[in-house]
Amino acid sequence: MSKKALFYHKESEFIRCDLCFHGCRIKKAEKGICGVRENRGGVLISLNYAKLVATARDPIEKKPLYHFYPATYAYSIAAAGCGLKCKFCQNWTISQVQGREKELLSLPEVQPQEVVEAALNYNCASIAYTYTEPTVFIEYVLDTAFLAKEYHILNVFISNGFMQKEVVKELANCIDAFNIDLKSFSDRFYSKICGAEEGSLLKILDNLAAIKEKDIWLEITTLFIPSLNDSPREMRQIAKFIAQLDKNIPWHISAFYPSYKLLNLPPTSSEVLKVAYDIGKEEGLRFIYIGNIVTKLGSNTYCPFCHNLLVEREGFWVVKNLLEGRGNCPYCGLKIAGRF
Ligand code: SF4
């Protein structure tokens, strides 16, 4: 099924896609940078609508979302594509479609109703739009998310934040939680390593602020890559920015492993993540979690006031949850930020 895309307008003989910051000008019979939106006779078509390349029942902690109904499951889905071309992408086999269109865009269709039914059958509290970049399958996200709401299923959007303001506004009507990658605090990193245009960092920061203003639950992830974005200065810039937005936003700091086009760099050491953790604490962040590496530091949730253990985790598994159904610290009564 060809699905007419949302978020575009016509400009003489071109189509201008208004979905992500690239704002591709697309000639007839051509596609945008993401490779999944095509100008067919002056109409923009979403080529990946309902063509799911991945589905899984994941603990919500795997997204990662640590303060959003811990220990529940998310029915995770992805269609192919991404607007960015991060050299370190861990899911590049499904996010980068160029040259692999046949494999990724000719799949049998899974309609939104079937996704909702699967989420119900697998006892999932939420549907997660994840693994690739859900912005580039926005039409499917919206159809599925609005339907899911009718069945009291929550929706979570795991994204690079590289989408235009109007898209955030629309998502705010159906998404209950976001995890957004803040990949760097350098515009140069976004352009050289991720293929973004200059000025993208500021726009992503604006989107984070917009999500926060709308009072939708937000967690932020940063993957630290040796020599590219792991200087203490940059760690502090990121932590400061998050703290200015809200010190209660959980910050997931994550380890890089050699992947895709960055096979020449070593994995991130636990020492580097500890530096980021300490800097985040110095900047006042209340919840910092370390991911992608085996460590006891930064996996549990503690009360920021009385410091008692509230949620204990082993990997993505919650082994103890004292916040379930209440969201207040049982020792001192402090309201813990999140949805519980
Ligand atoms: S989603 Fe982004 S990359 Fe894809 S066509 Fe639209 S503007 Fe271009």
Side-chain angles (χ1 to χ4, degrees):
M1 181 174 93
S2 298
K3 180 80 175 177
K4 187 172 177 243
L6 300 170
F7 301 104
Y8 77 93
H9 66 273
K10 288 192 185 170
E11 283 180 2
S12 59
E13 73 270 39
F14 297 98
I15 276 178
R16 173 80 69 179
C17 179
D18 301 315
L19 186 51
C20 82
F21 295 145
H22 288 309
C24 296
R25 244 173 130 228
I26 310 172
K27 284 188 204 157
K28 279 195 182 138
E30 291 194 357
K31 300 185 186 80
I33 291 172
C34 58
V36 295
R37 295 168 87 74
E38 184 176 282
N39 179 344
R40 283 196 194 151
V43 176
L44 191 64
I45 298 294
S46 163
L47 301 175
N48 56 359
Y49 187 91
K51 314 265 178 66
L52 295 184
V53 290
T55 59
R57 180 185 193 246
D58 288 330
I60 191 79
E61 286 73 18
K62 198 172 173 186
K63 296 303 90 199
L65 285 166
Y66 276 22
H67 287 225
F68 189 78
Y69 304 104
T72 61
Y73 283 92
Y75 190 67
S76 299
I77 62 169
C82 183
L84 293 179
K85 300 195 177 304
C86 302
K87 293 182 179 173
F88 52 90
C89 185
Q90 292 174 348
N91 286 340
W92 64 274
T93 55
I94 50 175
S95 71
Q96 304 301 309
V97 300
Q98 280 80 359
R100 314 180 65 235
E101 290 84 353
K102 211 167 172 202
E103 180 191 342
L104 297 174
L105 301 176
S106 315
L107 296 160
E109 293 186 358
V110 181
Q111 296 307 320
Q113 182 71 40
E114 296 173 74
V115 172
V116 169
E117 279 165 18
L120 290 170
N121 288 340
Y122 285 116
N123 197 23
C124 293
S126 55
I127 295 173
Y129 309 93
T130 180
Y131 302 138
T132 55
E133 174 49 49
T135 300
V136 302
F137 57 98
I138 189 78
E139 296 78 12
Y140 190 68
V141 170
L142 295 175
D143 287 353
T144 308
F146 281 113
L147 184 64
K149 271 166 81 80
E150 291 176 21
Y151 290 82
H152 307 289
I153 298 172
L154 301 162
N155 293 289
V156 305
F157 196 84
I158 314 304
S159 168
N160 54 28
F162 191 76
M163 76 283 274
Q164 299 206 18
K165 242 186 222 149
E166 289 306 311
V167 181
V168 176
K169 257 192 217 163
E170 186 59 32
L171 286 170
N173 296 322
C174 59
I175 297 297
D176 301 283
F178 286 87
N179 186 306
I180 302 282
D181 271 357
L182 181 50
K183 296 173 190 283
S184 168
F185 217 72
S186 149
D187 208 43
R188 198 178 147 78
F189 178 100
Y190 271 102
S191 55
K192 295 278 174 240
I193 308 294
C194 303
E197 287 76 17
E198 279 179 22
S200 293
L201 170 64
L202 275 182
K203 295 181 190 171
I204 291 167
L205 298 182
D206 281 350
N207 277 348
L208 288 167
I211 291 168
K212 188 70 204 120
E213 263 168 34
K214 290 180 190 305
D215 201 27
I216 303 169
W217 183 247
L218 170 66
E219 305 195 14
I220 292 176
T221 299
T222 305
L223 181 89
F224 285 109
I225 306 169
S227 76
L228 295 183
N229 66 349
D230 67 341
S231 71
R233 181 173 172 270
E234 191 162 351
M235 290 170 177
R236 195 169 296 282
Q237 287 174 314
I238 296 172
K240 234 186 231 305
F241 170 80
I242 299 173
Q244 277 165 4
L245 271 188
D246 185 344
K247 290 181 174 161
N248 284 312
I249 295 174
W251 186 30
H252 297 267
I253 51 182
S254 197
F256 159 86
Y257 287 90
S259 153
Y260 193 32
K261 295 185 177 169
L262 286 186
L263 297 170
N264 56 326
L265 293 176
T268 315
S269 68
S270 53
E271 288 77 18
V272 165
L273 296 180
K274 172 76 169 70
V275 172
Y277 183 93
D278 289 343
I279 287 174
K281 285 285 169 195
E282 283 164 22
E283 293 302 326
L285 294 179
R286 298 196 174 112
F287 305 104
I288 305 175
Y289 300 106
I290 293 182
N292 254 4
I293 200 165
V294 179
T295 170
K296 251 304 181 197
L297 176 73
S299 60
N300 297 331
T301 302
Y302 295 90
C303 174
F305 185 70
C306 70
H307 307 295
N308 274 298
L309 175 63
L310 301 177
V311 183
E312 186 178 357
R313 299 180 184 85
E314 274 176 18
F316 295 126
W317 302 105
V318 172
V319 292
K320 181 166 142 188
N321 179 11
L322 300 185
L323 296 174
E324 194 173 356
R326 53 204 248 161
N328 288 76
C329 171
Y331 302 100
C332 70
L334 183 79
K335 171 111 183 67
I336 304 299
R339 311 282 188 267
F340 298 100

